[in-house]
């Protein structure tokens, strides 16, 4: 039987992604209901840090998601199941739609354009990468 590498206890990516997506949707809902700028600003900060920052932003792919470390070529790229770790993107998309609909001043045209570009790149990666194609072949 296989064993889980204890290094996985140090991974923060999947949890960080879930926490970020929850934070985006909850702050977007709070802004929609209260029009309190703090919530709208929080959404912008999360999006900037997680997606748009050149130093902290995630690249629009999951090339290393659920990577199984070890020697050889098979251990240099993640597994297709790593894509599941960012399923919270649905909450991000919904949160951003709330920001658009409420015409939040913090959801600027520049952020909209940058996030649209990020999502387009991600969709392109899903459609063209070996990992994305493998996920698509499993969905039945």
């Amino acid at each position: 039987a296989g064993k889980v590498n204890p290094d996985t206890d140090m991974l923060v990516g999947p949890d960080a992604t879930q926490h970020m997506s929850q934070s985006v949707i909850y702050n977007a809902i709070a802004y929609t209901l209260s029009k309190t700028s703090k919530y709208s600003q929080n959404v912008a900060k999360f999006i900037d840090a997680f997606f748009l920052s050149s130093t902290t932003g995630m690249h629009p792919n999951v090339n290393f998601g659920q990577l199984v470390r070890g020697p050889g070529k098979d251990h240099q790229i993640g597994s297709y199941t790593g894509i599941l770790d960012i399923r919270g993107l649905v909450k991000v998309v919904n949160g951003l739609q709330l920001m658009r609909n409420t015409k939040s001043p913090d959801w600027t045209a520049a952020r909209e354009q940058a996030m649209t570009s990020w999502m387009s790149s991600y969709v392109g990666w899903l459609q063209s990468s070996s990992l994305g194609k493998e996920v698509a072949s499993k969905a039945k």
Side-chain angles (χ1 to χ4, degrees), residues 23-62:
S23 297
V24 167
I25 191 68
Y26 288 146
N27 277 275
I29 290 168
Y31 177 73
T32 299
L33 296 174
S34 71
K35 298 296 189 273
T36 303
S37 63
K38 167 179 73 170
Y39 301 120
S40 179
Q41 291 166 2
N42 284 343
V43 172
K45 287 177 190 175
F46 294 131
I47 295 300
D48 288 351
F50 206 88
F51 297 99
L52 306 181
S53 168
S54 61
T55 56
T56 61
M58 176 182 166
H59 294 284
N61 64 62
V62 191

Side-chain angles (χ1 to χ4, degrees), residues 2-3 6 11 33 41-42 45-46 54 56-57 66-67 69 76 84 92 97 115 117 134 137-138:
K3 294 183 180 181
L11 298 175
L33 296 174
Q41 291 166 2
N42 284 343
K45 287 177 190 175
F46 294 131
S54 61
T56 61
Q66 294 195 18
L67 177 84
R69 292 181 11 175
Q76 303 304 310
L84 300 176
V92 172
Q97 190 60 46
M115 198 60 190
S117 176
E134 190 170 355
S137 76
K138 306 290 183 200

